[in-house]
Amino acid sequence: MNLPNTLTIARIFFVPILVAVLVQERIILHWNGAVITNDVVALIIFWVAAATDLLDGHLARRWGQVTTIGTLLDPIADKLLVSAALISLVQVRVVPGWLVVLLVGREFAVSGLRSIAAVEGYTIKASELGKTKTFWQVLAISLLMISIHRPWVVKWANLSLYVVVLFSIWSAVSYFNKFWRKVDVRTKQGRRQELLIAERQRRRQLLEQRPEGSRNRRRAAKADRARAGGLSGAADLPQSA
């Protein structure tokens, strides 16, 4: 277990802690005379988890420690963190439920699309739109957590959330277009390959039939000559008295 994979797994373990802190509004901490509410603690947990997302990928590429388990767990951890934060914000009545359904549904749709693409033998890499969407997701969720006890942030939090919806739909359409283009190219290549195989089989059959046709023609010519010889012999016989 290398460090990048450890960070990815740690991000998964942050998810239940984040949910528990965010939905328990009675959690209040006192530190050096300052009152720290549950939304601040949840925000810190979310930022630490989001930082592990940046750090694990960077370290894995830099140290050459990209593994199969890390490749599989990293997107799962990201989606768990974002989905858990958004659903918890619905629980505390900060985000409308339909928006969260739209965003979480998009994540599942894109994940399913990537799984189908992987089965078909090709990979759909994260686009710049997807990375931009992730940045706005972190920003929007942070502002939404801050707005729980600070009403003046609500306007900016809602605005950033609608930006997230825009980039989510835009990037999802982009991913589906990439998928269908790859499927279309593969289908055309498969059809072309089938036509080439059919043409080869047709030529092979013609080559096989050509010697057989020559042999049949030679046999027919021999039979014709034999019949012609028999008729000429009968014509040369003397007539009986």
Side-chain angles (χ1 to χ4, degrees), residues 84-106:
L86 290 172
I87 293 171
S88 300
L89 289 169
V90 173
Q91 173 69 23
V92 296
R93 296 178 177 83
V94 176
V95 183
W98 68 269
L99 269 179
V100 174
V101 170
L102 180 64
L103 294 174
V104 174
R106 179 265 180 202

Side-chain angles (χ1 to χ4, degrees), residues 44 53 63 66-67 94 113 119 133 214 219 222 225 228 238:
I44 294 172
D53 183 25
W63 294 348
V66 178
T67 61
V94 176
L113 186 69
V119 171
K133 183 266 304 180
S214 300
R219 289 172 185 170
K222 289 181 180 179
R225 286 196 297 271

Side-chain angles (χ1 to χ4, degrees), residues 1 22 29 46 71 91 105 108 120 133 195 203 226 238-239:
M1 181 68 67
L22 194 55
L29 303 177
F46 180 73
T71 304
Q91 173 69 23
F108 279 104
E120 293 295 327
K133 183 266 304 180
L195 292 174
R203 291 181 179 180
Q239 296 182 357

Side-chain angles (χ1 to χ4, degrees), residues 50-155:
T52 63
D53 183 25
L54 296 174
L55 193 58
D56 60 0
H58 173 72
L59 293 178
R61 289 186 296 269
R62 183 174 180 179
W63 294 348
Q65 294 181 344
V66 178
T67 61
T68 302
I69 187 171
T71 304
L72 292 174
L73 287 180
D74 185 68
I76 294 175
D78 296 343
K79 288 171 176 55
L80 280 175
L81 180 65
V82 171
S83 300
L86 290 172
I87 293 171
S88 300
L89 289 169
V90 173
Q91 173 69 23
V92 296
R93 296 178 177 83
V94 176
V95 183
W98 68 269
L99 269 179
V100 174
V101 170
L102 180 64
L103 294 174
V104 174
R106 179 265 180 202
E107 299 296 334
F108 279 104
V110 172
S111 297
L113 186 69
R114 283 177 168 166
S115 300
I116 296 172
V119 171
E120 293 295 327
Y122 44 82
T123 304
I124 300 178
K125 296 181 179 180
S127 63
E128 292 300 323
L129 284 174
K131 295 177 182 178
T132 305
K133 183 266 304 180
T134 301
F135 166 78
W136 280 98
Q137 271 185 338
V138 174
L139 178 62
I141 291 173
S142 301
L143 291 175
L144 288 167
M145 289 183 184
I146 295 172
S147 68
I148 293 176
H149 294 104
R150 296 160 187 84
W152 61 272
V153 186
V154 172
K155 179 178 68 174

Side-chain angles (χ1 to χ4, degrees), residues 191-207:
R191 180 58 180 166
R192 190 179 298 112
Q193 189 68 21
E194 290 176 359
L195 292 174
L196 289 174
I197 293 174
E199 180 64 19
R200 291 193 189 113
Q201 291 177 347
R202 188 183 68 83
R203 291 181 179 180
R204 189 179 299 112
Q205 290 175 354
L206 288 175
L207 292 175

